[in-house]
Amino acid sequence: MHLAYPAVLAALLFCVGLYGVLARRNAILVLMSVELMLNAVNLNLVAFDVWLRDTLHSGQALTLFTIAIAAAEIGIGLAIVLAVYRNRGTSDIDRLRDTAETDEAEKLPDTAETDPADADADTDGTEPAPGRVDGKTGKTKKAEATT
């Protein structure tokens, strides 16, 4: 058997999988495309193992490990997709971009300057609640107590 036939088929499978990863927005279709790419690699491993006439059949053994890793990957990937679908209501990858962590999400807004009740609390001599931002100094009372 010529090596060109399985190599061309594997290249076509890999290209179709790569197109699916780059073009699809559904997470399950992206996972299926990754599986196509892994199957193209498996086909190459077995084809080169047969072509080289390896006595240890290392290409086929490596293919079995790749299949086991692919099964674990698809199980974990589907669990993540189902958890995201339950929380967000969609498995669309473009709509999941708001899950990325940013520095702006960690900053707490200064509520003392915008809340009139807190502004009155600063002028009448009472102290704001622990952990609340003091409008005058910008520090929390909890932080001042520790210094």
Side-chain angles (χ1 to χ4, degrees):
M1 179 171 80
H2 293 287
L3 182 62
Y5 298 132
V8 168
L9 179 62
L12 288 175
L13 274 176
F14 193 85
C15 289
V16 169
L18 185 64
Y19 173 75
V21 168
L22 296 177
R24 300 293 176 195
R25 293 191 174 122
N26 190 347
I28 294 178
L29 291 178
V30 169
L31 286 173
M32 289 174 61
S33 299
V34 169
E35 291 296 320
L36 268 177
M37 293 167 63
L38 285 173
N39 284 330
V41 170
N42 288 339
L43 182 61
N44 267 334
L45 285 171
V46 171
F48 277 98
D49 182 48
V50 170
W51 184 65
L52 293 174
R53 295 186 180 119
D54 187 17
T55 57
L56 296 176
H57 299 292
S58 57
Q60 293 178 15
L62 194 56
T63 299
L64 290 175
F65 284 116
T66 307
I67 290 171
I69 290 171
E73 174 258 334
I74 201 69
I76 293 171
L78 281 175
I80 291 171
V81 168
L82 287 175
V84 167
Y85 183 76
R86 285 182 185 168
N87 289 333
R88 302 279 180 175
T90 184
S91 64
D92 188 13
I93 294 175
D94 289 337
R95 292 187 181 180
L96 300 178
R97 302 216 182 235
D98 60 343
T99 59
E101 294 181 15
T102 59
D103 291 335
E104 294 176 11
E106 294 176 1
K107 294 179 183 177
L108 294 175
D110 191 10
T111 57
E113 294 178 7
T114 58
D115 194 6
D118 287 342
D120 292 337
D122 288 340
T123 57
D124 66 354
T126 60
E127 300 203 9
R132 297 294 303 258
V133 176
D134 187 5
K136 297 176 186 175
T137 62
K139 297 180 181 178
T140 61
K141 293 295 179 178
K142 189 175 186 180
E144 288 177 359
T146 60
T147 57

